[in-house]
Amino acid sequence: MSLKEIHSFLQQQVNPSWTHQAQPAYRLNWLRSLALVEKDERGFTLTELGRSIGAEKTTKVSVPPPSPTPARTYAGQLTARLAEMAIDSEHPTQFEEALREAFDFLGFDAQKIGGAGKPDVVARASIDPNSYSVVIDAKTTSRGAISQSHVNLNALLDHRKKARADYVAVVGVTFSGDNLPKW
């Protein structure tokens, strides 16, 4: 099911006051961390472990002992991929996609946009009344650090305005220069 479908179902069955998708998203990410639910481009599905627990007739559930769960493995793989892609300046769109996936995993509604004159990723946090959005600029480098000359602050502010975002984030492996970390 999609987050929207799950939200609608839970709003009807569990809590009608959940007017935003934040509550279901929190719970889905918790279930993902337990390797009971996984997400792909179609939406959320129960894992084999999730289906077996859901099929239990008793209230006592036997969970296998802690081991690298698929969610932990997934988070570890995603972290490793982010680190690898951040220094692969020949494939910047792969880093953008990994960032979109990471923000999505963290509970944001993240979309990769990319292309000339457009933000790389826009992430929205639906946590009313504190909802916000972020324009994300993905910076790759094979030289070790992102310098000031690689960041166009005016373009980023323009992206923020066009996307009606609250914040701008520049993501890279590390930054150099006197002003860049401060900016």
Side-chain angles (χ1 to χ4, degrees), residues 82-132:
L82 283 165
E84 181 182 331
M85 295 292 101
I87 58 172
D88 184 1
S89 56
E90 292 186 25
H91 302 98
T93 58
Q94 290 180 3
F95 185 49
E96 294 168 8
E97 178 55 33
L99 278 174
R100 185 217 50 84
E101 195 173 329
F103 274 84
D104 198 53
F105 181 75
L106 292 171
F108 288 80
D109 176 19
Q111 296 178 342
K112 180 184 170 304
I113 298 172
K118 298 177 183 173
D120 297 326
V121 177
V122 175
R124 301 191 190 288
S126 298
I127 50 175
D128 234 22
N130 300 310
S131 296
Y132 63 94

Side-chain angles (χ1 to χ4, degrees), residues 165-177:
D166 300 292
Y167 301 100
V168 173
V170 179
V171 181
V173 65
T174 190
F175 300 92
S176 66

Side-chain angles (χ1 to χ4, degrees), residues 31-32 34-38 45-56 61-64 70:
L31 292 170
R32 288 172 72 190
L34 296 173
L36 301 175
V37 170
E38 59 190 2
T45 57
L46 289 171
T47 63
E48 185 176 325
L49 178 60
R51 284 188 299 277
S52 70
I53 290 173
E56 294 269 335
V61 175
S62 174
V63 177

Side-chain angles (χ1 to χ4, degrees), residues 3-151:
L3 178 57
K4 185 177 181 179
E5 292 168 323
I6 293 169
H7 173 235
S8 177
F9 174 80
L10 291 175
Q11 193 177 27
Q12 293 170 15
Q13 300 295 321
V14 177
N15 192 335
S17 70
W18 288 354
T19 57
H20 297 279
Q21 296 176 355
Q23 292 296 334
Y26 293 146
R27 284 149 179 84
L28 284 167
N29 284 324
W30 178 71
L31 292 170
R32 288 172 72 190
S33 74
L34 296 173
L36 301 175
V37 170
E38 59 190 2
K39 182 181 180 200
D40 61 23
E41 61 278 350
R42 295 178 311 248
F44 296 90
T45 57
L46 289 171
T47 63
E48 185 176 325
L49 178 60
R51 284 188 299 277
S52 70
I53 290 173
E56 294 269 335
K57 299 285 185 204
T58 64
T59 57
K60 191 172 184 179
V61 175
S62 174
V63 177
S67 64
T69 64
R72 287 186 187 145
T73 302
Y74 170 75
Q77 290 171 348
L78 182 56
T79 301
R81 191 160 43 115
L82 283 165
E84 181 182 331
M85 295 292 101
I87 58 172
D88 184 1
S89 56
E90 292 186 25
H91 302 98
T93 58
Q94 290 180 3
F95 185 49
E96 294 168 8
E97 178 55 33
L99 278 174
R100 185 217 50 84
E101 195 173 329
F103 274 84
D104 198 53
F105 181 75
L106 292 171
F108 288 80
D109 176 19
Q111 296 178 342
K112 180 184 170 304
I113 298 172
K118 298 177 183 173
D120 297 326
V121 177
V122 175
R124 301 191 190 288
S126 298
I127 50 175
D128 234 22
N130 300 310
S131 296
Y132 63 94
S133 59
V134 183
V135 168
I136 303 162
D137 191 31
K139 293 294 182 189
T140 61
T141 183
S142 57
R143 290 180 266 157
I146 306 296
S147 67
Q148 283 180 215
S149 64
H150 290 103
V151 179

